[in-house]
Amino acid sequence: MLDSYKHKGMRKQLVDELRAKGIKSEAVLDAINAVPRHFFLDKVFTEQAYSNMAFQIGAGQTISHPYTVAFQTELLEIKKGDKVLEIGTGSGFQTAILCQLGAKVFSIERQKELFMKCKPMLDQLKFTPKLKFGDGYLGWPVFAPFDKIIITCGAPYVPDALVEQLALGGRMIIPIGEGKNQEMHLLVKETSGIKSSKLGVFSFVPMLKSTVK
Ligand code: SAH
């Protein structure tokens, strides 16, 4: 795949748009500027890859809006070397952004088709996340605890396993709600318990119960 000057120019415009919408972290904006989003979309969408839109990525799923990716990533406050668990690899774009920020990424996807599709692109960009075909409700206990956990699908509730696998002082960003819209929640694990705050309404595909063991 080619990352042309035209794509780079469109990406800069997208970054300006995200800044205007309230994204403040220069590290996150730099990461969005660095990762070619069009690599993660079907060729037919290449021209619109840098508009703030969601697109079909196969298996009835969608890549998140760039604003949503930036919003969730900013809230995670990624530091180099953080262990980050992502639920819902999808296209792999959010995974790539986390890798670009220097995180050690562990990402779980329950749709085989998408799990198979994203790896070549991440390889081409020289990112080396650990990818798992499995059920996000269970997390990835062998690699726990995680400094940060990001859920990129609408969860009906906060899965217990994910709370258990969050490190003390760790942050989890999770959209909660079963309908069309979800409320974004930030959970911080403190010695006294979980501190939770609500951060606005978003629209995600649902986090589904999986038959994968
Ligand atoms: N981060 C992705 C977002 C994709 S949409 C991107 O940037 O493209 C959400 C993804 O969550 C879908 O691919 C869907 O298949 C996946 N998903 C839904 N329920 C899941 C579950 N229980 N475990 C793991 N992944 C799940």
Side-chain angles (χ1 to χ4, degrees):
M1 274 245 195
L2 188 73
D3 191 24
S4 68
Y5 281 109
K6 189 175 165 200
H7 292 123
K8 289 187 174 115
M10 291 194 287
R11 210 143 66 228
K12 263 207 141 34
Q13 274 179 19
L14 172 64
V15 166
D16 290 343
E17 194 183 326
L18 296 176
R19 195 181 273 116
K21 277 183 179 286
I23 303 298
K24 290 189 182 64
S25 162
E26 287 302 322
V28 171
L29 293 167
D30 283 351
I32 302 248
N33 199 32
V35 177
R37 187 174 186 243
H38 65 282
F39 282 22
F40 295 89
L41 295 171
D42 285 344
K43 273 201 190 67
V44 285
F45 298 129
T46 299
E47 288 304 308
Q48 299 117 289
Y50 298 102
S51 50
N52 187 25
M53 286 168 73
F55 297 101
Q56 298 295 322
I57 51 173
Q61 307 302 318
T62 51
I63 185 173
S64 299
H65 287 70
Y67 176 73
T68 307
V69 172
F71 187 86
Q72 288 195 287
T73 309
E74 181 167 70
L75 284 168
L76 285 176
E77 298 181 355
I78 301 288
K79 292 192 289 295
K80 276 207 172 61
D82 270 354
K83 269 169 76 181
V84 181
L85 176 66
E86 178 190 24
I87 308 301
T89 320
S91 67
F93 177 66
Q94 170 76 72
T95 317
I97 294 292
L98 294 168
C99 292
Q100 177 70 27
L101 284 164
K104 288 193 205 109
V105 186
F106 300 79
S107 189
I108 304 175
E109 172 57 54
R110 70 180 282 284
Q111 303 264 12
K112 193 68 167 260
E113 179 189 337
L114 298 176
F115 167 75
M116 304 292 285
K117 205 156 123 181
C118 65
K119 192 169 177 340
M121 217 35 91
L122 292 162
D123 283 348
Q124 190 187 328
L125 292 167
K126 307 271 188 297
F127 293 134
T128 53
K130 280 202 186 306
L131 304 174
K132 178 183 166 96
F133 170 55
D135 182 5
Y137 280 93
L138 307 176
W140 204 340
V142 285
F143 291 111
F146 298 98
D147 303 301
K148 313 283 160 72
I149 299 181
I150 174 171
I151 289 84
T152 71
C153 35
Y157 54 86
V158 183
D160 288 343
L162 300 186
V163 175
E164 272 161 33
Q165 291 170 34
L166 187 63
L168 195 59
R171 297 164 80 80
M172 184 190 315
I173 177 89
I174 176 166
I176 302 178
E178 290 195 81
K180 198 169 161 285
N181 296 316
Q182 297 80 32
E183 183 105 41
M184 194 72 83
H185 283 68
L186 169 66
L187 274 54
V188 182
K189 196 176 202 173
E190 299 180 344
T191 27
S192 54
I194 297 287
K195 206 179 80 192
S196 169
S197 37
K198 291 183 186 175
L199 296 149
V201 174
F202 289 77
S203 182
F204 285 84
V205 294
M207 180 173 181
L208 299 172
K209 285 278 181 198
S210 189
T211 50
V212 179
K213 289 281 170 284

